[in-house]
Amino acid sequence: MEAVPLTPNGKVDRAALPAPDFAAGRSEYRAPRAGGESAVAAAFAAELGVAQVGADDNFFALGGNSLTATGVAARLRESTSTEVPVEWIFTHSTPESLAHRIETREAGRVENDGAGSAVAVLLPLRAEGSRNPLFCVHPAIGLAWCFTGLVQYVDNDRPIYGINSPALTDPDAHFGSLDDLARRYVREIRSVQPHGPYHLLGYSVGGQIAHAMAVQLRRDGDDVTLAMLDSRAPSEAAFDEEMPTAARLVAEFGGVELDEAESAMTAEQAARLLRAKGGLFALLTPDHLETLYRQYRDLVLGARTHRPSTLEGAVVAYFSAATDSTDDHDLDRETGAAGWREYIIGEIHEYQIPTSHEQMTSPQGLSVVGPLLDRHLNLADRERGVPE
């Protein structure tokens, strides 16, 4: 579509949107082999309501996300009598690759059964494709899992990588500033794409980090496309907000409801609660949770003291949360793209997204952000003469 249809109130006119065609970006159909591939394809189809799933179809490109991945794991547990960790669907997202992963465990050939690659600094959400990749920088929680839903909207020939906090695989990793962390992430993305143009996306505090990365890449002479999801620039005002407890973070990001008695739970208690609930966050150990809380605290404090350098010559898109947040404990920030005008020289394309800050990467949020982001990336490539 040339533009997203809006109602007179400026909200997305969903009634005017065409029905989604998840088959449009799929690989040429190849029937799954009998056995493991067929079992995985059947689980994908049942959970996503898709009539037919091929051996090479990507779960996230079909419309899957971290929530529906939990349902797939439960279905496979029943149909194969094998415990399938949800994180395997992140790193083995086709029936062929996931079936091979399951068969490898059954044969006794262990391939990193822990959280492992799901918390690696560079997490390939889709490694295949000939176009320049999209790199997605985590929010303050330090995990890039929230970006999985983008796979179904972004050109299927464009690789997508999430960037997780290094602290999850190296608890001793510490960074003195967001600029230091950005330098580490620039090294990471250059390991898979040595030269630009680069496409960066950051959510919340991740947008500040992505902006710092873009500044460094531009200084090196690389072209950059920067997209920011409600990543408001810090203001000069005092920060009086109380830092959330570890239990509150578990409740918010793990989708767990806590009563007052549980508000002071330990990391061990939180890990047990997440395991009981199931889902992707069930793979996190008490050590992971303690690291995530420290990471969150350090990133928020770092963001409060960060003063961005000026970015010039980049193509910039800013996605604003148009719905007021009911629990914005993040930062005292300027609203929308206006707060970044002094740090970005050039045009900022701003899009109003009908959701709250916390729901920007929810399935509903990404259903609006995803198509707009894909169009923005493709236009930037076209203007630079990058072959399609």
Side-chain angles (χ1 to χ4, degrees):
M1 301 182 69
E2 289 299 320
V4 176
L6 302 177
T7 67
N9 294 328
K11 296 184 179 297
V12 174
D13 186 355
R14 294 184 179 276
L17 291 171
D21 180 8
F22 292 126
R26 293 168 63 177
S27 306
E28 182 177 347
Y29 179 77
R30 180 169 68 86
R33 294 178 297 177
E37 285 187 16
S38 293
V40 173
F44 283 11
E47 192 63 27
L48 299 176
V50 178
Q52 185 182 67
V53 175
D56 303 311
D57 286 338
N58 185 293
F59 173 74
F60 299 108
L62 295 176
N65 53 50
S66 58
L67 298 177
T68 49
T70 303
V72 168
R75 291 177 185 277
L76 289 174
R77 189 184 308 117
E78 293 181 6
S79 63
T80 67
S81 299
T82 301
E83 190 67 32
V84 178
V86 180
E87 67 269 20
W88 286 5
I89 302 172
F90 271 58
T91 53
H92 302 77
S93 54
T94 66
E96 179 188 43
S97 61
L98 184 55
H100 174 73
R101 183 68 185 84
I102 295 170
E103 292 162 2
T104 297
R105 169 184 269 190
E106 291 174 341
R109 300 190 303 275
V110 178
E111 293 182 1
N112 188 12
D113 278 344
S117 54
V119 295
V121 178
L122 213 55
L123 172 64
L125 301 176
R126 179 171 63 204
E128 303 80 16
S130 63
R131 307 195 73 172
N132 291 324
L134 171 64
F135 297 97
C136 307
V137 184
H138 60 80
I141 193 63
L143 292 166
W145 299 346
C146 58
F147 297 110
T148 53
L150 282 175
V151 175
Q152 63 184 293
Y153 301 111
V154 172
D155 190 322
N156 67 341
D157 196 32
R158 189 183 301 283
I160 303 175
Y161 292 88
I163 299 179
N164 291 317
S165 166
L168 292 165
T169 48
D170 179 10
D172 295 326
H174 293 279
F175 299 89
S177 67
L178 292 194
D179 287 324
D180 288 343
L181 190 57
R183 273 187 281 276
R184 165 66 187 271
Y185 291 167
V186 166
R187 292 199 302 271
E188 292 287 343
I189 68 175
R190 287 197 186 280
S191 70
V192 294
Q193 185 191 352
H195 307 288
Y198 289 99
H199 297 305
L200 307 177
L201 170 67
Y203 171 34
S204 191
V205 174
Q208 292 191 41
I209 300 171
H211 177 274
M213 293 170 65
V215 169
Q216 294 175 23
L217 291 167
R218 288 295 299 141
R219 287 173 179 168
D220 291 340
D222 289 297
D223 285 333
V224 179
T225 302
L226 172 64
M228 308 168 81
L229 298 185
D230 211 44
S231 305
R232 302 165 197 166
S235 73
E236 297 293 338
F239 299 99
D240 297 324
E241 292 287 341
E242 182 180 353
M243 190 70 67
T245 64
R248 184 176 174 184
L249 291 183
V250 168
E252 179 178 340
F253 291 97
V256 178
E257 292 187 9
L258 303 178
D259 56 36
E260 188 174 347
E262 294 173 313
S263 61
M265 70 172 62
T266 65
E268 288 78 7
Q269 291 170 327
R272 284 198 298 271
L273 190 63
L274 290 173
R275 283 197 298 273
K277 178 179 173 61
L280 188 57
F281 281 82
L283 71 94
L284 297 174
T285 66
D287 286 344
H288 281 137
L289 294 177
E290 289 178 351
T291 298
L292 283 175
Y293 181 66
R294 174 176 60 80
Q295 165 74 53
Y296 183 96
R297 182 194 61 216
D298 291 348
L299 271 179
V300 170
L301 292 175
R304 289 173 175 176
T305 58
H306 180 63
R307 290 298 172 262
S309 299
T310 301
L311 174 64
E312 185 174 5
V315 180
V316 181
Y318 188 94
F319 298 87
S320 300
T323 303
D324 289 338
S325 170
T326 58
D327 185 25
D328 189 4
H329 56 72
D330 195 4
L331 293 171
D332 183 2
R333 300 169 295 187
E334 295 284 353
T335 301
W340 287 96
R341 299 293 180 191
E342 63 179 297
Y343 306 116
I344 295 174
I345 297 176
E347 185 178 5
I348 303 176
H349 304 271
E350 184 167 13
Y351 304 94
Q352 296 286 329
I353 308 302
T355 189
S356 67
H357 174 80
E358 290 80 8
Q359 295 298 311
M360 287 292 285
T361 57
S362 69
Q364 295 76 16
L366 291 182
S367 71
V368 182
V369 170
L372 292 170
L373 175 64
D374 182 57
R375 183 168 180 266
H376 182 74
L377 298 177
N378 291 338
L379 285 173
D381 279 347
R382 196 172 302 130
E383 289 174 359
R384 294 182 178 120
V386 177
E388 297 188 13

